């Protein structure tokens, strides 16, 4: 029987959105598990404007990371499509640079060699790529650590190396999946400042996947709120806080209002997720 | 403590422990707790070093055992690592032969030496090939394990940068697997050296193994233990070389 929620093959033509550099159109992702077919993402649509910082937030298990992999071209959606400047994505796209949630530096490479990695694979001569990599290392605040190995750095520094490596490839769109998830709250805030500073300097289009409301409000121009499984678009919240922005914004009254507003959207979804997880745990006992 | 002091600490402790054990053993033998006709006093073993070096042509024997060990080591590397890569790439082949390779690693292959004698004759080739066959299985298995255990996120970094399969292998998979491959090489080299020296002993041909056989038959116990010490020295040299190679191939650990 055909499912009305799934956009049929062939896929629809890309929707022309002149103000959009990245478009997610009616994306559906289904996984076959041992017992059933699970819909992870259901008819998700939104666009990202050039130079914009946009966050996608949702409760645990809502399909955020699946969406990250679809946009990054690592997972093919069951239906719908993602386009970069109107061009459909059919695999990793050179315009998109990915920063992963898990620590992803190459432990056998120094900070400089990690950052220079995308240039090395493109065949850029060593002198040129090292010069470029040094600039990026300075941008992410790691000057003096160029010859250190990741094992000699803190978790926050390693994540900055990953961000630097992605920036060195000069992507049109920086795509990040909870890059600060494993860090403590203070490091997260400071690293958020650093990312925001880089984003504002480069006018870098950035899409951040996160489960932290404060992080989303602190960094973003808009926040895409997802529902619990299957992950659907619940609402898009415009964050009208002044630029240039730093972590000091978290003390403002407007910041608190935005956090409360998004939490209002998320609370029911998170409760539903928690109840479902507890029911599953009870069922397996 | 200075950095040099910290670096030398483990080596000094190791040496002191060894000296302490020798002193204890010497005392145990001298007071009659250990029979000196089973274990000679360490002092006699040490004084016999000079004698066996000059009288038993140790440099030539040492070189022969080391070269046979090196030959087996080179063979287990150039055959074992590519075979491990092949099993990683070909799922069907892996499913078909992995358990056989594991069985090969556990088999007492030294018992097959008469077959090797027939094929290669009473020569260094028999010894090298016996060492190779005994040591290749752990290298294959550990290469496969290292490649399979590469963290998914590192592979995804490569995919996100659109690496070619060759770049993905050379720049991500292989460096990530190096530590595990070297565990296999160490194991393989242990098996290879045991078989090299064991076969020299068994077929009474060549280096230190043959010398141990001769000295034992002459009941020259201090000389036998001194010759065994030279076998340990071959092993130490190989392991030091492996460690340096690993650090060169996989820095940052």
């Amino acid at each position: 029987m055909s499912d009305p929620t799934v956009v049929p093959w062939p896929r629809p033509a890309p929707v022309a959105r002149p103000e959009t550099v990245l478009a997610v159109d009616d994306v559906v992702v289904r996984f076959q598990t041992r017992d059933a077919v699970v819909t992870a993402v259901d008819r998700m649509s939104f666009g990202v404007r050039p130079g914009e910082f946009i966050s996608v937030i949702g409760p645990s298990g809502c399909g955020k990371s699946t969406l990250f992999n679809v946009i990054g071209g690592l997972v093919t959606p069951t239906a719908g499509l993602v386009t970069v400047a109107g061009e459909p994505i059919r695999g990793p796209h050179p315009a998109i640079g990915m920063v992963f949630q898990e620590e992803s530096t190459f432990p056998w490479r120094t900070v400089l060699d990690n950052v220079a990695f995308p240039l090395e694979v493109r065949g850029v001569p060593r002198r040129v790529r090292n010069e470029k990599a040094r600039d990026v290392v300075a941008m992410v605040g790691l000057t003096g650590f160029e010859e250190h190995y990741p094992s000699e750095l803190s978790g926050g520094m390693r994540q900055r190396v990953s961000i630097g490596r992605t920036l060195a490839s000069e992507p049109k769109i920086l795509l990040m999946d909870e890059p600060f998830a494993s860090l403590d709250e203070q490091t997260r805030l400071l690293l958020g400042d650093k990312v925001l500073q880089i984003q504002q300097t480069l006018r870098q289009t950035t899409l951040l996947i996160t489960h932290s409301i404060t992080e989303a409000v602190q960094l973003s121009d808009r926040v895409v709120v997802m529902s619990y499984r299957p992950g659907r678009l619940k609402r898009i919240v415009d964050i009208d806080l002044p630029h240039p922005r730093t972590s000091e914004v978290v003390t403002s009254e407007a910041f608190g209002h935005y956090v409360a507003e998004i939490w209002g959207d998320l609370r029911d979804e998170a409760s539903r997720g928690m109840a479902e997880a507890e029911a599953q745990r009870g069922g397996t006992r | 403590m200075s950095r040099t002091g910290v670096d030398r600490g483990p080596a000094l402790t190791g040496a002191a422990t060894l000296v302490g054990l020798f002193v204890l053993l010497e005392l145990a033998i001298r007071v009659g707790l250990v029979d000196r006709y089973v274990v000679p006093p360490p002092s006699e073993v040490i004084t016999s070093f000079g004698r066996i070096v000059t009288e038993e042509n140790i440099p030539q024997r040492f070189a022969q055992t080391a070269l046979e060990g090196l030959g087996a080591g080179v063979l287990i590397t150039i055959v074992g690592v590519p075979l491990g890569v092949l099993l990683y790439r070909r799922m069907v082949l892996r499913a078909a032969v992995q358990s056989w390779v594991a069985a090969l690693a556990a088999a007492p292959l030294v018992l097959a030496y008469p077959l090797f004698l027939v094929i290669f004759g009473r020569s260094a080739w028999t010894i090298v090939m016996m060492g190779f066959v005994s040591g290749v299985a752990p290298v294959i298995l550990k290469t496969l394990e290292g490649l399979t255990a590469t963290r998914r996120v590192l592979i995804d970094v490569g995919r996100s940068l659109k690496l070619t399969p060759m770049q993905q292998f050379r720049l991500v998979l292989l460096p990530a697997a190096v530590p595990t491959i070297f565990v296999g090489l160490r194991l393989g080299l242990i098996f290879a050296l045991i078989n090299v020296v064991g076969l020299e002993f068994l077929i009474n041909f060549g280096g230190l193994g043959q010398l141990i056989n001769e000295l034992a038959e002459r009941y020259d116990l201090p000389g036998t233990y001194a010759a065994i010490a030279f076998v340990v020295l071959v092993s130490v040299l190989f392991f030091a070389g492996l460690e340096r190679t690993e650090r060169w191939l996989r820095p940052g650990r």
Side-chain angles (χ1 to χ4, degrees):
Chain A
M1 200 199 303
S2 69
D3 185 337
T5 62
V6 178
V7 180
W9 191 266
R11 290 170 173 172
V15 180
R17 289 178 181 162
E19 281 279 311
T20 299
V21 67
L22 174 80
V24 177
D25 279 314
D26 267 343
V27 164
V28 178
V29 183
R30 292 208 167 101
F31 292 118
Q32 175 73 55
T33 65
R34 209 169 36 180
D35 310 317
V37 175
V38 174
T39 304
V41 177
D42 192 19
R43 304 201 69 167
M44 195 69 191
S45 296
F46 64 91
V48 184
R49 300 169 195 139
E52 183 180 35
F53 199 124
I54 191 163
S55 291
V56 176
I57 193 167
S60 295
C62 77
K64 299 187 295 289
S65 291
T66 305
L67 188 63
F68 168 83
N69 285 325
V70 169
I71 296 172
L74 300 181
V75 166
T76 307
T78 314
L81 83 168
V82 177
T83 55
V84 174
E87 182 195 339
I89 285 180
R90 295 190 177 89
H93 195 286
I96 297 178
M98 299 175 81
V99 179
F100 295 85
Q101 178 178 355
E102 209 182 317
E103 205 275 293
S104 67
T105 53
F106 295 124
W108 56 89
R109 285 175 167 259
T110 61
V111 167
L112 193 71
D113 287 344
N114 259 289
V115 171
F117 184 72
L119 306 173
E120 183 183 329
V121 297
R122 272 190 223 154
V124 177
R126 179 181 285 274
R127 197 182 55 76
V128 180
R129 70 173 185 251
N130 281 355
E131 205 172 296
K132 174 84 197 293
R134 275 181 208 287
D135 290 345
V136 176
V137 167
M139 196 194 298
V140 294
L142 288 173
T143 302
F145 291 93
E146 290 87 347
E147 299 309 320
H148 284 59
Y149 286 95
S151 60
E152 299 165 333
L153 306 177
S154 68
M157 291 163 95
R158 283 202 285 262
Q159 207 51 293
R160 274 189 275 169
V161 174
S162 298
I163 293 169
R165 181 178 60 199
T166 307
L167 287 174
S169 67
E170 295 184 331
K172 275 195 188 131
I173 300 151
L174 180 62
L175 177 62
M176 300 193 283
D177 182 18
E178 305 196 34
F180 318 133
S182 59
L183 307 176
D184 64 84
E185 187 63 28
Q186 290 151 33
T187 310
R188 287 173 79 130
L189 279 170
L190 294 173
L191 215 50
D193 270 353
K194 182 52 88 181
V195 167
L196 205 51
Q197 186 196 333
I198 293 167
Q199 190 264 340
Q200 287 166 359
T201 308
L202 301 177
R203 297 284 301 146
Q204 174 75 56
T205 308
T206 306
L207 196 159
L208 171 73
I209 307 280
T210 181
H211 63 257
S212 164
I213 304 174
T214 51
E215 195 170 273
V217 176
Q218 178 201 348
L219 301 176
S220 310
D221 299 310
R222 288 190 298 152
V223 176
V224 174
V225 183
M226 283 178 78
S227 68
Y228 182 64
R229 198 181 297 155
R232 294 192 178 110
L233 174 64
K234 183 151 183 163
R235 192 156 85 97
I236 296 179
V237 181
D238 286 301
I239 307 294
D240 191 16
L241 290 171
H243 286 284
R245 214 183 278 170
T246 68
S247 55
E248 281 177 18
V249 78
V250 301
T251 58
S252 72
E253 199 177 328
F255 182 89
H257 282 303
Y258 282 121
V259 170
E261 192 180 334
I262 294 172
W263 174 234
D265 283 333
L266 278 177
R267 189 170 41 207
D268 291 347
E269 301 298 333
S271 304
R272 201 153 62 83
M274 194 188 279
E276 199 171 295
E278 282 172 0
Q280 272 174 358
R281 251 181 248 130
T284 54
R285 268 181 202 153
Chain B
M1 198 186 283
S2 70
R3 192 179 168 99
T4 316
V6 173
D7 287 347
R8 285 184 185 165
L12 288 173
T13 311
T17 308
L18 201 64
V19 171
L21 283 174
F22 283 166
V23 170
L24 279 177
L25 185 62
E26 183 84 27
L27 287 173
I29 293 166
R30 286 189 187 281
V31 299
L33 280 175
V34 176
D35 191 335
R36 64 189 305 127
Y37 294 107
V38 176
V39 182
S43 56
E44 284 181 26
V45 175
I46 290 165
T47 51
S48 70
F49 272 110
R51 175 172 56 83
I52 68 160
V53 167
T54 50
E55 292 175 10
E56 307 295 344
N57 199 12
I58 279 287
Q60 190 264 329
R61 289 177 184 277
F62 184 88
Q64 181 161 354
T65 300
L67 280 175
E68 285 164 355
L70 186 67
V74 169
L75 278 177
I76 64 172
T77 309
I78 61 173
V79 174
V81 174
L83 280 178
V85 174
L86 183 70
L87 292 192
Y88 172 73
R89 292 268 184 226
R90 299 276 177 265
M91 292 282 280
V92 176
L93 192 63
R94 189 195 312 179
V97 304
Q98 191 176 353
S99 50
W100 289 103
V101 179
L104 185 74
L109 288 167
V110 71
L111 298 178
Y113 83 91
L115 175 69
F116 284 74
L117 273 178
V118 170
I119 298 171
F120 298 103
R122 191 168 163 271
S123 69
W125 271 111
T126 296
I127 295 168
V128 171
M129 293 313 286
M130 206 57 239
F132 159 67
V133 171
S134 313
V136 74
V139 180
I140 298 171
L141 292 173
K142 283 290 172 186
T143 301
L144 174 62
E145 184 187 319
L147 293 169
T148 314
T150 302
R151 286 166 56 221
R152 183 75 226 171
V153 71
L154 299 185
I155 295 170
D156 280 346
V157 169
R159 287 179 67 203
S160 75
L161 292 168
K162 290 178 82 78
L163 299 195
T164 62
M166 194 57 208
Q167 284 176 320
Q168 182 78 278
F169 178 74
R170 191 171 55 84
L171 298 170
V172 180
L173 283 165
L174 199 58
V178 158
T180 317
I181 292 173
F182 269 79
V183 171
L185 285 175
R186 282 194 192 91
L187 280 171
L189 207 58
I190 289 170
F191 292 163
L193 278 176
I194 289 170
N195 279 272
V196 162
V197 177
L199 215 65
E200 284 178 345
F201 188 104
L202 270 176
I203 68 172
N204 204 18
F205 181 88
L208 295 169
Q210 185 196 29
L211 177 63
I212 292 167
N213 187 2
E214 285 175 6
L215 293 169
E217 285 188 356
R218 278 188 248 150
Y219 214 69
D220 179 356
L221 282 185
T224 305
Y225 279 84
I228 290 170
F230 279 104
V231 174
V232 174
L233 185 62
V234 173
S235 171
V236 166
L237 285 176
F238 279 178
F239 276 73
L242 264 187
E243 205 174 305
R244 273 179 180 271
T245 314
E246 185 182 3
R247 249 186 277 153
W248 174 64
L249 284 173
R250 175 66 197 262
R253 300 185 75 207

